[in-house]
Amino acid sequence: MTTLPGIDHPLILVRDIEAARAFYNSLGFTLTPVGQHPWGTSTSLAVMERCALELMGIYDETLIDNLEIGGFAFGRHMQEALAEREGMALVALHSTDSRADAATLKARGLISQGPVDFRRKVRPPGMDWDEAVVSLDIFLDPALPRASHFLAQQHKPHLLWRPEWMQHANGAHHIAAVTYLAQAQEKALSRLTAMFGPANPGPAGWEVPTGQGVFRVLHPADWASVYGDTPRPVLAPNVPAGAAIDIAVQDLAAVRALLARAGHDVCETASGPAVRDVAACGNVVIRFVKG
């Protein structure tokens, strides 16, 4: 099976994007200035190698139904998800040709709501104002509203992958893994394996490698075997959902020292330190791993 590029950016919904930006900055991430989508959501990114973390809030609820496609309105989906709780909403898949990748996914049996093309104003460091041009293809499974995906293609990647934005005090380089918690793992696993190929047994649960990072599917009962005493995010029961993001860094000792200087408590796991204050992370576990 041809492997799609993989994880582009997990999308973390927060009610106060400025507070979330300040907290992530204290974890050693460089955050882009807050931008705006045409469907009423605000965005700030921690840009890494071919991927990013995205913090997302809502700045204008009157716009949430803009650019509806195939019964899916990005802004409304985010508003409804955020009304339920903060946390991971969707995960974008990295694409350099979203239409071709969409055709591949549909050939593998995934249902698409269709393409969304948009522009948003950006001002990268040392540059004048410009417009990011982005193509999305939505692949939302109504049975997996918190474990679905969309393809994301940046037509002007030089506006996003700026060296100044990619320098992080914590040494963040890329997203190593996204973990879904699922009591019934079959639906989430079936979706991921249709996209990326066979799952491998991990230390606990299953791991699906992609061309960029790993998707992990973990039963809640196995949480401690992977994340130790790290608090679990508050998730709806029986609904598979994103719970944790592993950030690859070169020097775990340096990360521990940075977090200690900033006054952050961590939980040590077999793979690296996880930030104990899950709520301040936007109801998601951020863990640093060697990579």
Side-chain angles (χ1 to χ4, degrees):
M1 177 181 285
T2 302
T3 302
L4 294 171
I7 298 168
D8 189 282
H9 60 274
L11 194 161
I12 303 170
L13 285 171
V14 295
R15 296 192 173 93
D16 186 337
I17 195 167
E18 290 296 352
R21 290 179 76 249
F23 187 81
Y24 273 80
N25 183 255
S26 74
L27 299 179
F29 291 101
T30 299
L31 281 299
T32 64
V34 176
Q36 297 181 337
H37 295 126
W39 45 72
T41 55
S42 52
T43 175
S44 182
L45 300 162
V47 182
M48 291 168 273
E49 184 69 30
R50 290 200 309 159
C51 60
L53 284 177
E54 181 171 22
L55 303 177
M56 181 175 287
I58 296 176
Y59 74 89
D60 190 342
E61 294 188 346
T62 68
L63 302 176
I64 60 173
D65 288 316
N66 281 1
L67 300 181
E68 181 271 341
I69 182 73
F72 177 86
F74 205 104
R76 180 165 293 281
H77 183 80
M78 297 306 148
Q79 182 202 46
E80 292 174 351
L82 188 55
E84 174 195 327
R85 60 175 172 80
E86 293 185 311
M88 218 183 306
L90 299 170
V91 177
L93 305 177
H94 187 87
S95 179
T96 57
D97 188 339
S98 62
R99 301 303 182 255
D101 286 340
T104 298
L105 287 179
K106 286 186 280 190
R108 295 177 185 176
L110 278 82
I111 302 300
S112 172
Q113 285 71 31
V116 178
D117 297 315
F118 73 95
R119 296 168 179 258
R120 70 177 182 89
K121 293 181 178 180
V122 294
R123 190 177 186 181
M127 299 177 65
D128 292 331
W129 283 100
D130 205 329
E131 278 191 323
V133 181
V134 186
S135 292
L136 311 180
D137 269 272
I138 310 302
F139 285 83
L140 177 73
D141 183 344
L144 296 167
R146 290 279 191 159
S148 286
H149 310 84
F150 61 97
L151 293 164
Q153 177 184 358
Q154 297 284 340
H155 292 277
K156 296 182 178 181
H158 64 283
L159 297 181
L160 178 61
W161 281 282
R162 304 297 301 172
E164 299 91 338
W165 284 343
M166 296 173 68
Q167 298 299 316
H168 302 281
N170 57 26
H173 184 266
H174 66 274
I175 294 170
V178 169
T179 297
Y180 293 118
L181 273 186
Q183 290 192 9
Q185 298 174 309
E186 293 77 14
K187 284 184 179 180
L189 272 175
S190 176
R191 177 182 179 85
L192 292 168
T193 56
M195 287 192 288
F196 298 107
N200 302 318
W206 295 89
E207 296 184 352
V208 180
T210 78
Q212 186 164 288
V214 170
F215 283 109
R216 182 182 296 117
V217 181
L218 188 66
H219 191 281
D222 294 323
W223 176 262
S225 64
V226 178
Y227 293 101
D229 63 352
T230 309
R232 274 173 29 194
V234 178
L235 307 178
N238 302 319
V239 179
I245 302 168
D246 287 352
I247 305 295
V249 300
Q250 290 297 316
D251 189 340
L252 288 176
V255 171
R256 291 186 180 97
L258 181 152
L259 296 175
R261 288 194 300 272
H264 293 299
D265 191 11
V266 301
C267 302
E268 287 297 340
T269 76
S271 296
V275 180
R276 185 178 291 277
D277 195 343
V278 174
C281 288
N283 194 38
V284 66
V285 169
I286 298 296
R287 180 171 70 167
F288 296 95
V289 300
K290 179 75 174 177

